[in-house]
Amino acid sequence: MPIFSKTLKIKLVQLIISTFIFFNVYSITPPTLSPGDSLAPKLKISGQWFLAYQIEDYENTTSNQFTLKRGYITFKQDLNNRFSVRFTQDITLDEEGEDAGNIEMRLKYCYLNINLDDWGIIYDPKVELGLVHRPWIDFEQHINNYRVQGKMFLESYKIVSSADFGITFSGLLGGKMPSKYQKEVNSSSPGKYGSFVIGIYNGSGYHSFEANKNKTLESRITLRPFPETVPGLQFSYSNAYGKGNSDLNSDFILNNFFVSSESKLHTVTAQYYKGTGDFMGTYVDSTGTSYKNNGYSVFGELKTFDSKLCVFGRYDFFNLKQDTKTEKEQIILGLSSYFHKKNKLVFDVDLSKLNQSSDIKRIYEIAIEIVF
């Protein structure tokens, strides 16, 4: 018989993280100011919009529309060299219920960020408190930067959410990658030997009420084994353990394996997922028993030196082992062109089908991503 219950183990992890934060925060030393420096905070405003024109062809029905796929407005402010805050509004088109068709605005992030002191091989450790990042989706989106086309694999099948109420602790392993690599390839999670994230969350995501008393423990570990010779190669593992967000208290267990390769001219990823249930508690039977599910996804992008012309593609396979087996396949192919740094114009074709069906859902899209 286990000495500690599963709930107590999660609370012990939460206590350890809180203790670590306490001793780091209260060891703050006042910042050193040079002549002319100011302690006045500086407000930073940024945005990201996904606009598209889509033609959809499915089951002998064709439709077309201009649409807002997503819009984000972010406010960031440094309070001092230790504390900062972030507030992000998520703007989308409501597709369900009585308000279908209305533009809907909700919070995506709203948190206090605490910069902690380096600790051994852990560099640039941070803590987020409030409505925060969960460990996986944000990491993947900074490698596969085609969120303008659609959601990442695990989020598209509603396995896990990108944000939630809780606490997130993250850090880099062994210092940072050179500035040239960060500028030309990827500046997100630039740990020389990798990075990590761990957190405890309500589990309901950022757009649902908490429906039970359980909390979800989620983490990610990424290793960069050859930072000098093959700097873009990384191996990642993420997991989650908790209950689905319903009064059935169904199990939610996630195991996700991911390998990625990046350079100035290419990005390639391969992903395998195996789990039980989902974060919302919808992949369950009438008794609350969670369905097993698994799947995999591969993604690739080839770029010219100036990124004026890029070719990208993705293949997803998802298998839900319920009473009636459900399989879904999806193929995405496209061309893109970057302009003014991170902005890009995208043309893509999205093909998907269920259970070997002869009916293929086709979406043809021209989309633009605006970043400012």
Side-chain angles (χ1 to χ4, degrees):
M1 181 177 179
I3 298 176
F4 300 111
S5 68
K6 294 174 182 177
T7 301
L8 182 57
K9 288 179 181 178
I10 291 179
K11 290 184 178 180
L12 286 173
V13 173
Q14 187 175 17
L15 177 61
I16 292 170
I17 294 175
S18 300
T19 303
F20 181 80
I21 296 169
F22 177 85
F23 283 109
N24 273 272
V25 170
Y26 281 90
S27 64
I28 296 174
T29 54
T32 302
L33 298 179
S34 302
D37 286 347
S38 172
L39 285 174
K42 297 180 180 179
L43 179 64
K44 301 175 183 178
I45 302 175
S46 61
Q48 188 176 29
W49 300 341
F50 305 143
L51 307 172
Y53 173 72
Q54 299 175 329
I55 300 174
E56 181 177 313
D57 183 6
Y58 185 51
E59 295 181 337
N60 299 318
T61 301
T62 301
S63 62
N64 65 86
Q65 64 173 338
F66 292 97
T67 186
L68 167 67
K69 300 182 73 173
R70 218 68 176 191
Y72 301 106
I73 300 293
T74 295
F75 302 87
K76 290 183 179 180
Q77 185 160 307
D78 295 332
L79 305 181
N80 55 30
N81 65 336
R82 184 74 67 164
F83 297 97
S84 62
V85 293
R86 173 175 175 172
F87 177 89
T88 297
Q89 293 176 315
D90 177 10
I91 306 166
T92 187
L93 185 66
D94 194 340
E95 297 180 350
E96 299 176 344
E98 296 180 356
D99 293 330
N102 289 340
I103 299 297
E104 182 180 85
M105 182 179 292
R106 58 195 176 193
L107 281 181
K108 179 71 179 283
Y109 301 111
C110 183
Y111 61 78
L112 172 68
N113 180 81
I114 307 172
N115 296 319
L116 306 178
D117 296 327
D118 294 345
W119 186 36
I121 65 169
I122 298 176
Y123 284 72
D124 200 23
K126 302 177 185 297
V127 171
E128 296 176 6
L129 299 167
L131 182 53
V132 301
H133 294 91
R134 287 175 74 155
W136 181 252
I137 300 299
D138 182 71
F139 172 78
E140 184 179 1
Q141 286 181 169
H142 280 88
I143 297 175
N144 173 355
N145 60 0
Y146 281 88
R147 177 60 182 85
V148 61
Q149 188 281 323
K151 296 178 180 178
M152 300 295 102
F153 174 61
L154 292 182
E155 191 176 19
S156 68
Y157 291 98
K158 301 181 179 180
I159 300 298
V160 71
S161 178
S162 57
D164 208 335
F165 287 95
I167 176 173
T168 293
F169 174 52
S170 63
L172 308 178
L173 300 177
K176 291 186 177 182
M177 293 295 290
S179 58
K180 182 179 179 180
Y181 177 89
Q182 294 188 52
K183 181 179 179 180
E184 294 184 352
V185 183
N186 195 339
S187 62
S188 178
S189 302
K192 183 175 182 180
Y193 293 101
S195 58
F196 71 91
V197 184
I198 186 171
I200 299 173
Y201 313 97
N202 280 348
S204 57
Y206 67 97
H207 45 65
S208 298
F209 289 113
E210 173 75 340
N212 54 38
K213 296 181 180 179
N214 294 285
K215 297 293 174 280
T216 298
L217 177 64
E218 190 174 338
S219 65
R220 171 184 64 81
I221 179 71
T222 295
L223 299 178
R224 192 190 308 267
F226 311 112
E228 305 294 340
T229 55
V230 194
L233 179 64
Q234 296 189 94
F235 297 89
S236 302
Y237 168 72
S238 67
N239 68 354
Y241 179 82
K243 299 290 184 180
N245 187 47
S246 74
D247 55 9
L248 294 175
N249 286 325
S250 56
D251 290 335
F252 169 45
I253 301 171
L254 179 154
N255 290 283
N256 179 46
F257 304 88
F258 186 84
V259 58
S260 57
S261 174
E262 297 176 89
S263 74
K264 188 175 181 179
L265 300 179
H266 86 283
T267 299
V268 176
T269 71
Q271 181 176 3
Y272 175 74
Y273 157 77
K274 184 175 182 180
T276 301
D278 65 297
F279 84 102
M280 286 297 293
T282 55
Y283 293 163
V284 298
D285 63 19
S286 58
T287 67
T289 301
S290 298
Y291 295 126
K292 304 288 185 181
N293 51 82
N294 60 52
Y296 56 89
S297 176
V298 292
F299 166 81
E301 179 190 28
L302 297 177
K303 309 176 185 178
T304 57
F305 279 98
D306 57 4
S307 297
K308 295 298 184 183
L309 180 62
C310 308
V311 179
F312 69 95
R314 177 173 141 190
Y315 174 78
D316 293 349
F317 175 82
F318 180 72
N319 176 28
L320 181 61
K321 299 178 180 179
Q322 52 186 346
D323 300 331
T324 302
K325 189 175 181 180
T326 300
E327 294 181 349
K328 183 173 182 180
E329 290 183 278
Q330 185 172 17
I331 298 175
I332 301 164
L333 298 171
L335 299 172
S336 67
S337 178
Y338 289 74
F339 63 95
H340 192 55
K341 298 181 180 179
K342 295 182 179 181
N343 297 271
K344 58 179 170 286
L345 181 66
V346 175
F347 169 75
D348 65 86
V349 180
D350 187 330
L351 310 174
S352 61
K353 66 177 182 177
L354 287 172
N355 297 333
Q356 308 301 321
S357 171
S358 59
D359 290 327
I360 298 176
K361 184 177 182 179
R362 298 175 173 86
I363 299 176
Y364 307 93
E365 175 182 71
I366 298 176
I368 187 169
E369 177 178 354
I370 305 297
V371 180
F372 61 91

